[in-house]
Amino acid sequence: MNLIDQFVASIGFSAKKVASWRKQSMWKSFFYVLLLVLISNVLIAGYALYKGSQNTLYDQVKQIEEFSITKEGLQKQGGPQVISLPQLEMMIVIGSDQTSQLPMHGMKNIVALGEKEWSYGRVGFPGAKFSYENFPLLSGQKDGVFDLKDSIALAKDVSPQINLFAPLYQYTNVMIDLIVHLAIISMLALAGYGFKKFVKISYKEAWTITAYGISAPIFVKTVFDLLGFEISFFFLLYWSVVGFFALRTIRAIKED
């Protein structure tokens, strides 16, 4: 059976069909995981790079309302405004350090410039907060003020550098995602191998079965990331589905 047929069968949770592939070469299963992870990430990364090129940092900064930053804090006209850099999965909030209620739209890195403090961090984790005493962008300002005019000039210089750095960032993301997939599949396969007392199964067979469990979750993840949908605890849900698929397939072996 070719890889496309295997994808269709596994995305439909056809446990008996997947169980029948357990004797195949582990290299084929590895290639299947590699192919799915790469296709998913290339689609997501390509779309993020495209969106970033259509609305650069420079373009967005020019639309920000007047603000100024000193060692005492940030002063800004109007309410908080957001700058999105999808190619770096970054969101910059100007005028507020309260980001929990803001839609992330797939952004994972947050820089928040509040009235008295600024912070940066990763979505889902507490951000590190700092005073403006040592704000990096103030170090090069002789008058001790960083304002909209300065930010526009900086954005004009930095935008081309972001375009050069973004592919490297996305490449690193792909490698990390691949490593995470291989590591967790291996751990889940070890758990599946623990059923060897009840089902005649080797670790290689358990790994093959678990590998095909990512088909439906990675398809849903890709669609959600492209559309900007967000689901809390999706990482846990993703791997819970993979584990359930592997367990169901192992039970199908026992029934046979």
Side-chain angles (χ1 to χ4, degrees):
M1 184 176 287
N2 61 44
L3 293 177
I4 295 178
D5 291 335
Q6 289 183 319
F7 175 76
V8 172
S10 55
I11 203 173
F13 280 66
S14 301
K16 289 186 176 181
K17 285 187 177 181
V18 175
S20 67
W21 309 332
R22 64 186 186 277
K23 299 294 185 181
Q24 73 179 24
S25 168
M26 190 172 178
W27 286 110
K28 184 176 181 180
S29 307
F30 173 83
F31 179 72
Y32 182 82
V33 173
L34 176 66
L35 191 62
L36 280 191
V37 172
L38 288 180
I39 290 175
S40 172
N41 280 279
V42 165
L43 289 173
I44 294 169
Y47 186 56
L49 292 171
Y50 170 76
K51 287 199 299 182
S53 67
Q54 296 299 302
N55 196 15
T56 66
L57 175 64
Y58 178 61
D59 295 330
Q60 296 180 70
V61 169
K62 289 191 296 183
Q63 300 175 20
I64 297 296
E65 296 171 341
E66 287 287 344
F67 73 91
S68 63
I69 298 174
T70 64
K71 290 186 177 182
E72 283 69 41
L74 179 143
Q75 296 80 40
K76 183 180 182 300
Q77 296 179 4
Q81 290 181 275
V82 175
I83 295 174
S84 295
L85 300 173
Q87 65 272 50
L88 299 179
E89 299 180 318
M90 179 179 290
M91 183 172 73
I92 304 172
V93 183
I94 302 175
S96 176
D97 55 2
Q98 303 298 317
T99 60
S100 58
Q101 302 301 319
L102 294 174
M104 296 293 107
H105 297 300
M107 302 298 111
K108 296 182 174 62
N109 307 303
I110 301 179
V111 176
L113 307 179
E115 183 179 345
K116 297 298 182 182
E117 294 180 314
W118 68 280
S119 64
Y120 71 86
R122 189 83 169 168
V123 172
F125 299 91
K129 294 188 176 183
F130 306 91
S131 71
Y132 283 101
E133 287 288 333
N134 299 311
F135 189 61
L137 297 180
L138 287 176
S139 60
Q141 304 300 316
K142 295 180 180 180
D143 56 359
V145 178
F146 183 84
D147 56 18
L148 178 60
K149 182 179 178 181
D150 297 319
S151 67
I152 292 175
L154 178 63
K156 187 175 182 180
D157 293 335
V158 170
S159 288
Q161 299 176 27
I162 290 177
N163 291 336
L164 292 175
F165 175 74
L168 177 60
Y169 176 86
Q170 293 293 342
Y171 173 80
T172 303
N173 262 357
V174 173
M175 293 300 102
I176 292 174
D177 194 34
L178 179 59
I179 291 171
V180 168
H181 271 81
L182 295 176
I184 299 183
I185 287 173
S186 298
M187 289 188 289
L188 290 176
L190 187 62
Y193 178 59
F195 288 91
K196 64 182 183 298
K197 294 181 179 179
F198 311 101
V199 182
K200 189 177 180 181
I201 187 173
S202 66
Y203 178 76
K204 180 185 80 67
E205 293 171 345
W207 202 98
T208 296
I209 288 170
T210 308
Y212 285 98
I214 71 169
S215 301
I218 203 169
F219 176 78
V220 173
K221 175 183 178 296
T222 303
V223 173
F224 278 19
D225 283 353
L226 290 175
L227 296 179
F229 292 162
E230 299 172 28
I231 296 181
S232 300
F233 308 109
F234 186 78
F235 181 84
L236 293 177
L237 179 62
Y238 183 103
W239 289 107
S240 296
V241 172
V242 176
F244 171 77
F245 179 89
L247 178 61
R248 180 179 174 182
T249 306
I250 291 172
R251 289 185 60 184
I253 296 174
K254 183 179 179 181
E255 292 171 1
D256 286 344

